Amino acid sequence: MVEKILIIGSLGQVGQELFESLKSSYGASNVIASDVKDGVNIEGRYEKLDILDKSALFDLVKKNGITQVYNLAALLSATAEKHPRFGWDLTIEGQFNVLNLAKEGHIKKIFWPSSIAVFGPTTPKDQTPQQTIIEPNTVYGIGKLAGEMWNKYYFEKYGVDVRGVRFPGLIGWKSLPGGGTTDYAVDIFYSALRGEKFDCFLREDTELPMMHMEDAIRATREIMEASADEVKLRTCYNIAAMNFDPKGLAAEIKARIPDFEISYNPDFRQDIAATWPRSIEDSPARNDWSWKEKYDLKGLVDNMIENLKGKV
Ligand code: AKB
């Protein structure tokens, strides 16, 4: 049976790259990108969709015989702090709309991304395990944790095949992030390549888990393509690749672009970052569905500079 795929929130940092990747495997006619924006000019099929509009979502799924949904709709950590109620609704009401379609048998499989933001100030910071103290104190983290629990509930009570990972900060050269606490780690490359000084909104020693976007897309594809019995956790899996702080990243960039300069001006995002882990333990993902990253920090910096050089 041919899979028919719908990506919700496809204009975001992950969505843009996932769309290209899924199109190349499943065929452009079988993958629909959707987002709330009108008049979008992208290569392939695009539908305007507000995930909170239950009947529009239902119509789109039925009309196109959708079998799989990748629900990426969310406000990231920094933006969600400014719009708490909308951040919650988008994450949770949106996911309910998708979960209920699967419960009613209209779709077969769902991908839902969680984040290291589920962890909070009381979580152990180093090599944070899959199961530990999880008491987030950000709007984004609270929504992601609640969503994880609802996914597990729908799997256990109604047999809904929903899968997900906890993304660290994601860094890629094909798409830009927006509204996150880890966005500095993408923006810094643009400044460095333009020959501009970079003003960092996190403190120099704020170490966080990070990952190359190519690895994140591969993790998404691999967990969705794993057999159902390999996916033993129906909350979301920890996945890790590398950890660094702004100072460490700046040093790697400076080793390649000697004139690069950085200054530090921490703002409210520092308080968010201070509640997240410094590093993640991800053996369940490695054992259950063979997760393994390709990029470390040096590989990431080489790859970003190589690919952005011509673009910036
Ligand atoms: C953010 O910074 O909000 C995101 C995330 C870690 O989920 N990149």
Side-chain angles (χ1 to χ4, degrees):
M1 185 195 169
V2 184
E3 298 292 349
K4 295 276 182 187
I5 297 174
L6 173 64
I7 306 174
I8 303 174
S10 66
L11 299 178
Q13 189 195 12
V14 175
Q16 292 176 42
E17 295 209 21
L18 186 62
F19 183 48
E20 294 308 319
S21 169
L22 290 172
K23 271 193 306 182
S24 67
S25 305
Y26 291 90
S29 61
N30 295 317
V31 187
I32 300 178
S34 72
D35 212 306
V36 281
K37 284 195 193 130
D38 247 337
V40 170
N41 192 8
I42 55 173
E43 229 173 89
R45 298 181 67 186
Y46 178 82
E47 297 275 350
K48 180 181 185 234
L49 174 74
D50 176 358
I51 192 178
L52 298 176
D53 184 342
K54 217 188 307 190
S55 65
L57 173 62
F58 177 78
D59 290 346
L60 185 55
V61 164
K62 289 319 284 178
K63 195 172 107 205
N64 294 285
I66 298 297
T67 57
Q68 297 187 10
V69 172
Y70 291 71
N71 175 15
L72 311 177
L75 296 186
L76 292 188
S77 54
T79 313
E81 288 304 302
K82 296 183 179 148
H83 309 280
R85 184 58 213 242
F86 181 60
W88 168 265
D89 285 349
L90 189 58
T91 300
I92 294 301
E93 298 299 332
Q95 179 64 352
F96 269 135
N97 289 344
V98 177
L99 287 171
N100 285 329
L101 283 182
K103 179 186 164 194
E104 290 156 13
H106 303 297
I107 46 183
K108 287 193 321 194
K109 222 189 252 185
I110 302 168
F111 176 79
W112 191 80
S114 184
S115 161
I116 54 162
V118 294
F119 301 115
T122 51
T123 301
K125 284 210 169 298
D126 296 302
Q127 287 299 302
T128 303
Q130 178 73 39
Q131 272 123 3
T132 180
I133 300 166
I134 301 188
E135 297 180 325
N137 66 355
T138 61
V139 173
Y140 179 60
I142 294 168
K144 286 296 180 191
L145 175 58
E148 286 196 14
M149 302 319 291
W150 278 116
N151 288 349
K152 182 166 176 278
Y153 186 90
Y154 270 66
F155 171 74
E156 287 169 358
K157 301 283 178 205
Y158 312 123
V160 168
D161 189 352
V162 52
R163 305 158 181 219
V165 294
R166 293 173 179 155
F167 283 133
L170 300 180
I171 300 151
W173 53 271
K174 294 183 186 163
S175 59
L176 285 168
T181 299
T182 58
D183 293 9
Y184 89 86
V186 178
D187 299 340
I188 192 171
F189 286 98
Y190 286 81
S191 295
L193 286 163
R194 285 189 188 118
E196 292 165 3
K197 182 171 183 181
F198 182 67
D199 194 29
C200 186
F201 58 72
L202 295 185
R203 260 184 18 209
E204 62 175 22
D205 59 350
T206 311
E207 186 175 354
L208 291 170
M210 300 278 186
M211 182 177 287
H212 194 295
M213 182 60 86
E214 196 182 303
D215 278 335
I217 298 297
R218 197 166 42 74
T220 303
R221 301 283 314 263
E222 284 174 3
I223 193 170
M224 284 297 271
E225 283 154 21
S227 67
D229 56 341
E230 282 174 304
V231 185
K232 298 188 173 53
L233 293 172
R234 296 299 178 142
T235 50
C236 288
Y237 280 88
N238 279 6
I239 53 169
M242 68 189 86
N243 323 298
F244 56 76
D245 56 22
K247 196 170 153 207
L249 177 58
E252 287 295 337
I253 294 175
K254 212 170 161 49
R256 292 155 180 83
I257 305 175
D259 290 341
F260 175 61
E261 280 183 74
I262 186 166
S263 54
Y264 299 93
N265 255 312
D267 65 15
F268 73 102
R269 289 166 282 193
Q270 177 63 40
D271 298 335
I272 298 176
T275 72
W276 291 352
R278 281 188 286 261
S279 61
I280 294 287
E281 202 284 320
D282 63 353
S283 55
R286 288 176 195 267
N287 295 334
D288 292 358
W289 45 276
S290 311
W291 156 247
K292 191 169 174 8
E293 79 286 0
K294 178 174 147 197
Y295 288 92
D296 60 9
L297 174 57
K298 285 188 189 311
L300 175 132
V301 174
D302 285 339
N303 179 269
M304 287 293 284
I305 291 178
E306 178 64 30
N307 286 290
L308 281 178
K309 230 170 21 200
K311 215 178 147 189
V312 173

